[in-house]
Amino acid sequence: MKLSLSLNNVRLRNKLLILYIFSVFLPIVLTNVIFYNVTTDNVRNQRMKDITRAVEQINNEFRAEVEDAVTISAVFYTDYNLNEILETDYQEPAAYVEAYDTYFRRILNSYTPVYASIQSIKIFVENPTMLHSGGVGYLSNEIKQSDWYQLLKERNNSYPIFIRTQQEDLYLKSDGADKRNTFSIIREMNYFESKNKWQKYLKIDLKTSTIDQIFRNQNLQGNIYLIDDKGHVEYTTDPEVDWSGKPVSFDELVFPKDSIQFPSTNSYVSYLENWRIVGTISEEEVLKDVRQSREFVFVLACLNFFIPTLIILWISRSLHERLVRILQHMKKVKNQNFDTIKQGESLDEIGQLTSEFNRMTIQVKSLIDDVYIADIQTKTLELERRKAQLNALQSQINPHFLFNALETIRMRSLIKDEMETAKIIHNMAKIFRTSLTWGKDRVMVSEEIEFILCFLEIQKYRFEDRMNYDIHIDPAAKECMVPKMMFLPFVENASIHGIEPLRHGGSIQVQVEREADTLIFSIRDNGIGMDEQKVKQFYGYLESDEELGERIGVQNVIYRLKLIYGDRFQLLIESEPGQGTFIRVAVPVEI
């Protein structure tokens, strides 16, 4: 089976929507999603590398400071002259002072200015003959109870140890509180084993400010933790952790759920074995640059959407609105409404199509007006006139009226021989002759009044004294021409529907006047009258354009008058139940 995909049955607006979705919307969405994912991964990976590099930089700088202190300790450890000074028994203090000034002071003071990270250098000895000041301290029992001394004894080797301690100047002033706020390199000075009469220990304190400067790296917006080989936090930039007090286990610390840890590589030297530096930073900080790039991608995507969408809407609106306008006017032409499209001139294909449509519409309208409508109107008018004549004839010859009148005449003729019967028969003959003769559609007012008079005479003959009538005609109106049987239905309605239902009868007044170019027929009766709904029904005949069909009476007359005079005739009806009826018909004068 052959499959075919056709858009011929799809509306233009939907075609433009399909074009927009598959040519603009989806490509932009896919492109920006791919671009965002790639950019996000690149920015995140780069940020992770930068943070890892910053942690490694802190680790290397810290290790370099420690190694400087270790290097100084090695110099003191292997200095023969210094060892001799520390092992000598001085008989007089002056001898020690001389040895101190000659060599010891110089070697103690030569390293502190060079290495900015060194806070102080001090040697603790058991030699009682030395003065314990100026970088020399006594190895007292209190010192032997310290953590660093106990750690050295446990290791029992000549390798230095790195440990968190308390600064010497603060230690001397402390009241026993355990506030270890600095780091020290400590080693036993036993290099010359044959000359180790006294125990000697070298303690080099590092500057706290230097350590703070190293750990507070500006490139790392997080916290840094220095963790010893036992897993305790020896230093941190986290203000929530009291690292200088009691030991705090790193594994027991509680971190936010979105924090990311960046551990440094382990140090492979004996004094820093299994020590490590760990940086923690929130994921929000890591992804800050990612979110900035996301905002950039979002703004770029909005621009990619906004500008093409505006252009497409602009172009599609120009196409769609004008095509819809042409279609609407084509539908109007189908309903014989030949309005042209009013718009400015345009040079594109739709503009040319609009111009051709207007030209075609004008030509078609002109052709229909000149030939078709004129011919149709003539034929329609003739047909309607004939139809109105036939309906008028049928409406005026009321079978019941004729039967009742003839029967009355027959019965009275049998009873008595009177001229009145002959007169009635004469009037009936006139009515038959006028009703059946339609050679001309116009009659003089005098002829119309004569026809009405015959009708009223017959009615009076039927009802005797129960009905009276009065006819007044303006002499200036007698020779005016009017449509045949124009006013008789109103007289018939007044007689049959107005006076006949009354028990004691009534009267009818007919008047014809001429006022300038207007001929006025009026009739007034004192019959039963009409309600408001019936009056509205008569007025409704003026607005109705329906064909006559089988309708008779007043409606037929109103239709004929509309057909002949158009909007040039007037109809006035005044009636109330029990108050009678007044009807006034005004038509143009025809001589």
Side-chain angles (χ1 to χ4, degrees), residues 572-585:
L572 173 64
I573 301 176
E574 296 179 355
S575 181
E576 291 183 6
Q579 301 297 323
T581 301
F582 173 76
I583 297 177
R584 179 178 180 271
V585 177

Side-chain angles (χ1 to χ4, degrees), residues 203-448:
K203 183 173 181 289
I204 301 177
D205 294 338
L206 302 180
K207 285 185 178 181
T208 305
S209 60
T210 302
I211 297 174
D212 287 339
Q213 184 177 0
I214 293 173
F215 279 82
R216 297 187 186 278
N217 190 306
Q218 297 300 320
N219 295 327
L220 184 63
Q221 303 299 323
N223 296 320
I224 297 296
Y225 299 87
L226 176 63
I227 305 172
D228 62 11
D229 54 350
K230 296 180 181 179
H232 294 156
V233 178
E234 297 294 342
Y235 180 86
T236 180
T237 57
D238 187 355
E240 302 295 329
V241 179
D242 184 15
W243 60 272
S244 62
K246 294 181 179 180
V248 178
S249 175
F250 179 76
D251 295 335
E252 295 178 357
L253 296 178
V254 179
F255 298 100
K257 293 181 179 180
D258 64 340
S259 64
I260 303 175
Q261 295 185 7
F262 296 86
S264 65
T265 56
N266 293 330
S267 301
Y268 297 99
V269 292
S270 59
Y271 47 85
L272 290 177
E273 185 176 3
N274 295 328
W275 284 60
R276 68 186 190 277
I277 292 177
V278 177
T280 61
I281 187 171
S282 66
E283 187 176 5
E284 176 69 23
E285 185 65 29
V286 174
L287 300 179
K288 181 173 66 176
D289 294 337
V290 175
R291 289 185 173 85
Q292 291 178 353
S293 64
R294 179 178 63 186
E295 294 175 358
F296 170 75
V297 172
F298 179 75
V299 172
L300 184 62
C302 290
L303 291 177
N304 289 337
F305 274 121
F306 185 71
I307 296 177
T309 300
L310 285 182
I311 295 175
I312 290 177
L313 288 176
W314 179 39
I315 295 176
S316 62
R317 182 178 180 182
S318 174
L319 297 175
H320 182 263
E321 286 188 352
R322 292 188 293 165
L323 288 176
V324 170
R325 188 182 299 115
I326 293 175
L327 180 59
Q328 291 174 348
H329 280 74
M330 292 180 69
K331 291 181 179 179
K332 290 181 179 180
V333 171
K334 182 179 67 174
N335 296 324
Q336 297 185 4
N337 186 351
F338 299 97
D339 292 338
T340 58
I341 302 174
K342 297 176 176 58
Q343 65 174 19
E345 295 184 359
S346 54
L347 301 179
D348 62 351
E349 289 78 0
I350 298 179
Q352 297 177 16
L353 178 61
T354 302
S355 300
E356 291 299 320
F357 173 81
N358 288 339
R359 185 180 62 82
M360 180 192 68
T361 302
I362 294 173
Q363 291 180 351
V364 171
K365 184 176 184 300
S366 177
L367 181 62
I368 292 177
D369 290 342
D370 294 344
V371 180
Y372 181 73
I373 290 182
D375 184 55
I376 291 297
Q377 285 181 343
T378 301
K379 293 181 178 179
T380 301
L381 184 61
E382 181 65 21
L383 290 175
E384 291 293 341
R385 189 178 70 84
R386 296 298 182 184
K387 189 175 182 180
Q389 291 174 348
L390 179 60
N391 288 330
L393 177 61
Q394 293 174 349
S395 66
Q396 306 313 319
I397 308 301
N398 191 318
H400 295 285
F401 163 71
L402 294 177
F403 175 79
N404 293 335
L406 291 175
E407 183 65 19
T408 302
I409 294 171
R410 187 184 69 84
M411 292 298 297
R412 286 180 178 257
S413 298
L414 292 176
I415 296 174
K416 56 184 177 179
D417 185 14
E418 296 179 348
M419 294 301 294
E420 186 179 9
T421 303
K423 183 180 178 181
I424 294 301
I425 295 174
H426 178 69
N427 290 335
M428 290 294 298
K430 286 184 179 181
I431 292 177
F432 276 121
R433 185 168 54 254
T434 304
S435 299
L436 297 175
T437 303
W438 284 92
K440 54 182 180 180
D441 188 48
R442 297 287 199 278
V443 295
M444 289 190 300
V445 172
S446 59
E447 294 176 332
E448 182 74 9

Side-chain angles (χ1 to χ4, degrees), residues 51-61 263-266 277:
I51 296 174
T52 302
R53 191 179 299 112
V55 173
E56 289 298 329
Q57 180 182 357
I58 295 173
N59 181 56
N60 293 334
E61 291 179 1
S264 65
T265 56
N266 293 330
I277 292 177

